[in-house]
Amino acid sequence: MTNFFNSLLGTNIPLWVLITSPVVLILLALFLLWFVHTRIFKFRLHRIVKTHGTHQSEEAVSIFVKHYPPEKLVRYSRRMERYSRHMGTQIVMETGLTGKWVQKITNSTLPTAVDLRRVLLYCPSSSVFKAYLAAEQHPRLRRVFTDWIKNEGEEKVIRLLSETCRGEEFEPDLGKSFLENNGALLRELTGEPEWYARYFAYKILIHDKEELTQRTLEAGLHDSHSLVRKILTENINGDREKIWEMLWEKLIHDPVYEVRETARKRIAKEFTDVYSLKDKKLNVEETFRILELLDPDSQEDKTFAMSILQSENKELQYPAAVFLEKCGVLSSFLAKNTIDDPGSIENSVRLLKDAMNVNVSGFLADYPSSDGAPLLVVANLLTIANGPHESISILAKKVFGFFNNKKIEPSNKEIYTKTLEAISTRGNIRSFELLAEELTRRENAPAFLELLLPRLPLNAELIFPPILFRFLENINFPVREELVKKLGTFKADIILPEVFHILNNNRSKFPHIVRISALKILGSLRLPFCLQRVLESLPTFKEEETKEFAPLFLSYPNEMFEDKTRNLLASPDARIRASIISVLPIIKNDSFMKEIRSSLKDVDPDVRVAAIKALLGFGEIKLLNQETSMLHDPVERVRLATVEVIARHGNNAAIEILKNITVDPNETEIVKRGVIAGLGQASNAEGIPILVSVLDSQEEFREDAVKALSMRTTKRDITQLIEIFKNAEPQLREKLIPVFKRQGRKAEPAILEILKDEVASFKPYLVKILEETGYVDEAKRQLSNRNVEVRREAAALLSLLDTLPAFRGLVMAAKDPDQEVRVCVVKALEKLKSSQSHDILDKLKEDPDSRVRKYTYWALERLDSLAME
């Protein structure tokens, strides 16, 4: 190449020729390329024209569009416009170019007059309205459009526009000019069968003020197409009263929401002074339509919606609830409650429940905790009405957070329990997880656990049992019985593996209390195939636990229970035999009386004790009285069990033996204490003198005797004790006073009953007992009770006592507003008039309390006036 240029430079060719030659060659190549391309372009266009109307036309168009798609072809608009003058307008239509021209005037922010002219000249008539819209939107294009109207003729254009309009929104600034010469044509178009033609005509006619046009517009208010009715409802003018009636009619009767909405907006804008729902007689359909379009800023509309929500019609309740929720009324009803206003809470629950019954519950998405009242309302709602599952999770989170630093109290307890019930009945996985977190957090909070455990959902076996079994292994768990009861309600396949894991493991791994709990759970499952294991494990229980557990055996098949029981009673294990014997009287199974009787002579003392108590449980008193020989059993606990049984139910002969035991110097203290305890639970009268004798003569058993005598609180027992008290020496009386004090409230009804019998010899002792126990002071306090029945009862009883403290309280009630209380005062004062009571009267007149002195004189004066009458 270097040699070539060097050779050229060696010739005489001018330099400019050497420089321009490549440029000329390049330009020539470009020209040839353009020429070939243009010839191909025209050839393909000619092919479309030649094949037009034949079966090859589609193929020709397809080949052309493949090489010149519309988005590329639009760049050759000027050339295509020129070719179309020779080849026909079908080339711009079939190639898709017209669509691009229409897009340019429709979507472009700055369409040109050339673009509009092309659409009007080359595009199909269906695009005329789009051209009109472009001219309306861009004033600089209007001259092109008006010139086209002049060329085509206004009437023709109006008809074309009405045919190509499809209900597009437009402001007829350009179209108003049609009214000047073609108002009649436009009115005529309102009768066209196609709705869009009528729409176009009405859209322009609403700007016409002619009376004839107004009549047409009024008729259009009943047009069959909703869009026509809408634009007329929105724009028609005239007499104000007439317009109001039209708008109200549209609001309550038009079947299309869009039209009703237009009417309601215009009413809110122009007729607020006329609009009122009071005293309107509306049927269900009319009310429904009103409710759909209530104004959130109108208090009257809110009141109307509230009244509808509280009706029984669910069809109407729904739009009312939707409106009230939209206005925030439902949320405000929820938030404004206070915990000390139960009436407001009840009203809110009732109202919001109506909303939830028609699936309106958005107010549950967010609400304050405040003092707990909103939480209580929501908790109540979610236990009685169906709400979204998410609302229960929201409630759970709020309530558990609310109780973070609070104790369970009467004022807030219901918040917690209702929330737990809502989670249990309708909760989802998230709410269960929150509940599990709360349960774990409250492991050592008995007040919360007592509410939580009974309300744990049973349909979440994989969540709660693991937590509960962890609690079970905690020997300090505060509410173990509730925990056991709850675990016994879950499915057996979840519970059994854990229970047997505890029962089958070494005792060192699981303490006694844990093993007892596991056994109780096993029994509560009531599984027949576990009965053998339950019976064999009975010795694990203590006596009181056995009594509580025994009724569960009634749930097992009776034949299976008796077969297994008979086999175990014949087994060598004394503890199992004793435990089973103790269960039989509790479940009233007397099929084993023979075995129980023979067990009285069993070699094992525990079995003998169980047999004695079992016979008592079956009511075999006669047989027990015959077994006084067991009072001398070589084993102390057998003698103790025997004396306790005979002391409670023995006959006179057996009681005499017990009396001897109390003074037998060779008997152990524990047996003597058993006799004393048994006599305290007895119903026979013979036991009281024995106990009084012990009280009086055996210092070491005095406290046991006081405790036993304090348990004898029937009227007969107290009468007997008072008789003994009356005849006793002062020293014995002093020893008996603690008995009456220990009897306390349990003995007061019997003492008062004896007091009402007005037995003069008993009265001083009864009064002394009541004063010692504090009853008189309490009765005086009851004279200021708000409940009139309580005051009456207190006054009546104090009037029986005839003591200074009693009358001192009574004179304070001399001005009680209740007549019956005053009558008791007068009756008591009548007693003071007797010669025996002058001392009391004088002391009342000189009482240090000025009120007592004042009321005493007043009451006595009243008594004198009654005597004169």
Side-chain angles (χ1 to χ4, degrees):
M1 182 64 68
T2 304
N3 293 333
F4 174 74
F5 277 104
N6 289 333
S7 62
L8 287 177
L9 290 173
T11 62
N12 293 325
I13 299 173
L15 182 62
W16 65 270
V17 174
L18 294 174
I19 294 172
T20 58
S21 295
V23 175
V24 172
L25 290 173
I26 291 170
L27 292 175
L28 180 60
L30 290 174
F31 172 78
L32 290 173
L33 182 64
W34 170 83
F35 179 78
V36 172
H37 180 271
T38 302
R39 296 304 296 174
I40 294 172
F41 184 85
K42 289 184 71 174
F43 171 77
R44 288 173 174 156
L45 280 178
H46 277 296
R47 183 173 174 80
I48 292 174
V49 174
K50 288 180 181 179
T51 58
H52 182 68
T54 68
H55 66 278
Q56 297 177 338
S57 174
E58 185 176 344
E59 181 184 357
V61 171
S62 176
I63 292 171
F64 184 88
V65 171
K66 180 180 178 181
H67 290 88
Y68 310 102
E71 54 272 15
K72 180 180 178 181
L73 186 64
V74 73
R75 291 180 293 181
Y76 303 106
S77 295
R78 191 187 299 274
R79 185 192 304 180
M80 288 292 290
E81 194 175 358
R82 186 171 65 250
Y83 289 162
S84 67
R85 297 191 190 104
H86 306 291
M87 300 181 188
T89 58
Q90 72 266 23
I91 62 170
V92 293
M93 292 181 184
E94 292 183 18
T95 57
L97 184 58
T98 55
K100 288 298 176 182
W101 287 345
V102 172
Q103 282 183 12
K104 286 186 73 175
I105 66 167
T106 303
N107 301 328
S108 176
T109 54
L110 293 172
T112 64
V114 173
D115 294 328
L116 181 61
R117 180 180 55 78
R118 286 172 178 161
V119 170
L120 293 173
L121 291 177
Y122 295 99
C123 294
S125 58
S126 60
S127 303
V128 171
F129 195 77
K130 288 185 173 62
Y132 172 81
L133 290 177
E136 284 279 10
Q137 189 176 358
H138 305 284
R140 66 181 182 279
L141 304 181
R142 290 183 182 178
R143 184 170 181 179
V144 174
F145 196 82
T146 52
D147 289 345
W148 178 76
I149 291 173
K150 290 177 184 177
N151 292 333
E152 296 293 325
E154 192 172 78
E155 181 176 348
K156 177 183 177 183
V157 170
I158 291 173
R159 292 189 180 278
L160 271 175
L161 289 173
S162 68
E163 291 172 4
T164 55
C165 171
R166 287 298 180 270
E168 294 94 336
E169 179 61 35
F170 69 97
E171 289 296 331
D173 295 335
L174 187 59
K176 288 178 186 177
S177 61
F178 297 153
L179 291 170
E180 186 176 341
N181 301 315
N182 289 283
L185 174 60
L186 289 168
R187 286 191 290 274
E188 179 187 334
L189 289 175
T190 61
E192 285 290 309
E194 297 293 349
W195 69 269
Y196 42 80
R198 302 196 303 274
Y199 168 80
F200 174 78
Y202 279 120
K203 191 72 174 174
I204 297 175
L205 287 171
I206 55 178
H207 298 281
D208 192 9
K209 305 299 181 183
E210 284 192 21
E211 185 177 345
L212 190 60
T213 299
Q214 287 300 310
R215 185 171 179 179
T216 303
L217 295 177
E218 289 175 10
L221 288 168
H222 304 287
D223 193 274
S224 60
H225 200 276
S226 60
L227 193 55
V228 173
R229 299 197 304 276
K230 176 190 172 183
I231 62 168
L232 292 177
T233 302
E234 187 176 20
N235 295 286
I236 194 170
N237 291 303
D239 179 72
R240 192 169 190 271
E241 183 177 352
K242 197 172 181 180
I243 295 298
W244 158 249
E245 291 176 356
M246 178 273 295
L247 292 174
W248 178 255
E249 177 70 16
K250 288 295 173 190
L251 178 61
I252 64 174
H253 287 149
D254 199 285
V256 177
Y257 177 85
E258 189 179 15
V259 178
R260 299 197 300 272
E261 182 184 33
T262 302
R264 184 65 183 88
K265 286 180 179 178
R266 190 169 177 188
I267 288 172
K269 185 178 180 181
E270 302 175 26
F271 294 93
T272 53
D273 57 326
V274 181
Y275 175 78
S276 175
L277 298 176
K278 292 179 181 178
D279 303 322
K280 292 285 187 183
K281 294 182 179 179
L282 303 168
N283 60 31
V284 174
E285 289 76 17
E286 292 168 345
T287 305
F288 183 87
R289 289 164 180 165
I290 290 285
L291 288 169
E292 280 188 311
L293 294 161
L294 295 177
D295 183 0
D297 297 325
S298 169
Q299 185 57 47
E300 183 176 0
D301 281 3
K302 292 177 184 176
T303 304
F304 178 74
M306 192 73 69
S307 66
I308 297 300
L309 182 58
Q310 297 175 65
S311 69
E312 298 297 326
N313 190 318
K314 286 194 176 351
E315 181 184 3
L316 299 180
Q317 281 180 327
Y318 176 73
V322 169
F323 169 74
L324 292 171
E325 183 176 73
K326 178 182 177 183
C327 297
V329 172
L330 299 183
S331 296
S332 69
F333 255 89
L334 179 56
K336 73 180 182 180
N337 289 282
T338 56
I339 205 70
D340 57 354
D341 188 357
S344 173
I345 291 175
E346 186 178 343
N347 289 337
S348 296
V349 171
R350 184 167 55 249
L351 177 76
L352 297 176
K353 183 187 72 171
D354 290 336
M356 290 182 66
N357 284 341
V358 289
N359 299 312
V360 175
S361 57
F363 54 87
L364 296 176
D366 188 28
Y367 49 89
S369 296
S370 300
D371 65 347
L375 302 177
L376 179 57
V377 172
V378 175
N380 273 295
L381 282 171
L382 293 176
T383 56
I384 60 177
N386 285 320
H389 289 302
E390 295 75 16
S391 61
I392 298 179
S393 303
I394 293 170
L395 173 66
K397 189 173 183 179
K398 286 180 177 290
V399 169
F400 297 152
F402 178 77
F403 279 93
N404 260 342
N405 300 308
K406 288 185 175 63
K407 296 180 179 179
I408 293 291
E409 297 173 352
S411 60
N412 62 28
K413 180 179 178 181
E414 191 180 3
I415 300 172
Y416 202 76
T417 56
K418 289 291 184 182
T419 301
L420 296 178
E421 289 170 14
I423 296 171
S424 180
T425 54
R426 296 190 175 92
N428 58 1
I429 292 296
R430 178 55 185 154
S431 62
F432 290 165
E433 290 172 349
L434 291 170
L435 180 56
E437 292 172 10
E438 174 73 359
L439 180 64
T440 302
R441 193 160 57 96
R442 302 296 185 184
E443 181 173 357
N444 298 305
F448 285 92
L449 289 169
E450 286 173 358
L451 303 178
L452 277 163
L453 291 175
R455 294 172 176 84
L456 293 180
L458 298 178
N459 57 342
E461 296 93 343
L462 299 180
I463 297 178
F464 296 106
I467 300 172
L468 298 181
F469 273 109
R470 192 177 72 247
F471 288 175
L472 195 73
E473 295 177 21
N474 175 4
I475 61 174
N476 297 315
F477 190 73
V479 287
R480 183 165 293 275
E481 289 306 313
E482 289 81 356
L483 174 63
V484 167
K485 189 181 298 183
K486 188 62 188 183
L487 278 168
T489 61
F490 286 96
K491 291 180 180 178
D493 58 340
I494 300 292
I495 301 302
L496 277 181
E498 294 295 332
V499 167
F500 279 113
H501 175 67
I502 294 171
L503 294 177
N504 294 336
N505 240 301
N506 294 330
R507 296 183 182 185
S508 59
K509 182 171 183 179
F510 295 106
H512 183 70
I513 189 172
V514 178
R515 297 172 65 81
I516 288 175
S517 299
L519 184 56
K520 288 181 178 179
I521 296 169
L522 182 61
S524 64
L525 292 174
R526 298 173 174 84
L527 301 172
F529 58 85
C530 294
L531 177 57
Q532 184 74 29
R533 182 59 183 271
V534 174
L535 287 169
E536 291 175 354
S537 302
L538 277 177
T540 309
F541 290 123
K542 297 176 183 177
E543 183 177 354
E544 289 304 314
E545 292 169 337
T546 302
K547 289 179 181 178
E548 295 175 8
F549 184 82
L552 291 175
F553 287 116
L554 296 172
S555 305
Y556 291 92
N558 187 57
E559 185 177 349
M560 175 186 287
F561 173 79
E562 291 190 355
D563 286 344
K564 293 184 181 299
T565 297
R566 188 165 283 105
N567 291 333
L568 288 172
L569 286 177
S571 70
D573 193 288
R575 293 182 66 213
I576 291 178
R577 286 187 281 120
S579 297
I580 291 177
I581 288 172
S582 66
V583 164
L584 296 174
I586 301 173
I587 62 175
K588 308 300 181 188
N589 190 323
D590 57 2
S591 304
F592 301 93
M593 290 301 297
K594 181 180 177 181
E595 288 86 345
I596 294 173
R597 291 190 189 99
S598 64
S599 295
L600 291 172
K601 306 300 181 184
D602 195 277
V603 68
D604 188 87
D606 289 327
V607 176
R608 298 200 296 277
V609 170
I612 293 167
K613 294 182 178 180
L615 289 174
L616 174 63
F618 282 116
E620 295 287 338
I621 306 301
K622 184 177 179 181
L623 178 59
L624 287 172
N625 283 322
Q626 295 170 3
E627 294 295 335
T628 55
S629 60
M630 295 186 71
L631 292 168
H632 306 289
D633 194 278
V635 180
E636 182 182 72
R637 64 178 181 275
V638 178
R639 297 200 303 276
L640 177 61
T642 305
V643 299
E644 287 179 346
V645 169
I646 293 179
R648 291 171 62 185
H649 302 283
N651 55 21
N652 292 341
I655 295 296
E656 188 64 28
I657 296 174
L658 295 183
K659 180 179 178 181
N660 295 331
I661 288 176
T662 61
V663 295
D664 185 352
N666 298 316
E667 188 54 83
T668 62
E669 283 191 12
I670 192 167
V671 173
K672 290 181 179 181
R673 293 183 195 280
V675 172
I676 295 169
L679 291 173
Q681 299 175 47
S683 58
N684 53 61
E686 293 78 8
I688 290 180
I690 298 175
L691 292 173
V692 171
S693 175
V694 173
L695 176 72
D696 188 35
S697 59
Q698 300 186 52
E699 182 69 29
E700 68 272 25
F701 298 117
R702 181 177 298 171
E703 181 59 30
D704 298 278
V706 169
K707 183 178 179 182
L709 284 168
S710 69
M711 298 173 68
R712 304 293 292 260
T713 54
T714 65
K715 182 179 178 181
R716 186 189 66 180
D717 290 343
I718 291 174
T719 302
Q720 187 178 2
L721 280 170
I722 291 171
E723 186 70 39
I724 295 172
F725 183 83
K726 182 179 70 170
N727 299 321
E729 295 293 329
Q731 289 182 343
L732 179 56
R733 287 184 183 178
E734 290 299 322
K735 295 174 182 177
L736 283 169
I737 288 295
V739 172
F740 294 112
K741 283 186 176 181
R742 183 77 68 90
Q743 286 178 330
R745 294 180 182 274
K746 292 185 291 185
E748 284 171 2
I751 292 175
L752 293 171
E753 194 174 343
I754 298 170
L755 187 64
K756 290 175 184 178
D757 293 339
E758 296 284 353
V759 179
S761 60
F762 280 3
K763 193 167 193 176
Y765 307 108
L766 297 172
V767 171
K768 182 174 177 60
I769 292 168
L770 291 174
E771 287 178 343
E772 290 284 346
T773 60
Y775 176 79
V776 175
D777 291 333
E778 184 179 349
K780 286 159 63 178
R781 287 193 296 272
Q782 296 297 338
L783 289 172
S784 59
N785 194 286
R786 293 174 59 187
N787 190 328
V788 66
E789 294 296 334
V790 174
R791 299 202 306 276
R792 288 174 183 175
E793 184 178 354
L797 292 171
L798 287 172
S799 68
L800 298 173
L801 300 181
D802 297 345
T803 63
L804 177 62
F807 282 109
R808 192 173 188 275
L810 272 173
V811 294
M812 297 296 291
K815 287 190 176 182
D816 193 280
D818 184 69
Q819 183 180 2
E820 289 190 32
V821 176
R822 297 197 301 272
V823 167
C824 289
V825 176
V826 171
K827 287 180 178 179
L829 290 171
E830 286 176 347
K831 296 177 183 178
L832 290 177
K833 282 295 187 180
S834 64
S835 57
Q836 300 95 327
S837 304
H838 277 299
D839 290 341
I840 294 177
L841 183 59
D842 290 338
K843 288 178 181 177
L844 285 172
K845 290 178 181 178
E846 297 174 4
D847 194 275
D849 192 329
S850 60
R851 292 182 304 162
V852 175
R853 297 196 303 272
K854 175 182 176 183
Y855 287 145
T856 300
Y857 281 107
W858 182 88
L860 290 172
E861 288 172 6
R862 178 172 174 76
L863 185 63
D864 291 338
S865 65
L866 289 172
M868 291 176 64
E869 293 175 2

